[in-house]
Amino acid sequence: MSRNKLVPAILLILLGTLQYRLWFGKHSIPDLWAMQEKIDQQVQQNANLEQRNDLLKADINDLKIGLEAIEERARNELGLIKQGETFYRILPAEQ
């Protein structure tokens, strides 16, 4: 084989090898796409958890700062009433 045909053949083989590694080898483009999908899912999960943490921090601050928040929680969740108050329960009319 002459030198004029050998160089393009070697370059073509190298190109084929690099393309194979790019599409099918370790750390290939499909691997990159799969990893990007995992990253997107993790970012979304982190955002949801951060939002939940912010709500919990706000609840904690309300409970630390104000007795009104504690009183409101006690009334709503435990059904407590203050001394001297009268509790009324209004039931919906039966149809």
Side-chain angles (χ1 to χ4, degrees), residues 13-46:
I13 291 170
L14 285 174
L15 178 65
T17 304
L18 290 174
Q19 284 294 317
Y20 178 81
R21 287 185 62 197
L22 179 67
W23 291 101
F24 303 110
K26 189 175 181 181
H27 306 297
S28 63
I29 289 181
D31 290 345
L32 173 70
W33 292 337
M35 189 61 67
Q36 187 62 46
E37 182 67 31
K38 286 181 183 179
I39 290 170
D40 292 343
Q41 290 173 357
Q42 190 64 48
V43 166
Q44 181 63 39
Q45 184 180 8
N46 289 351

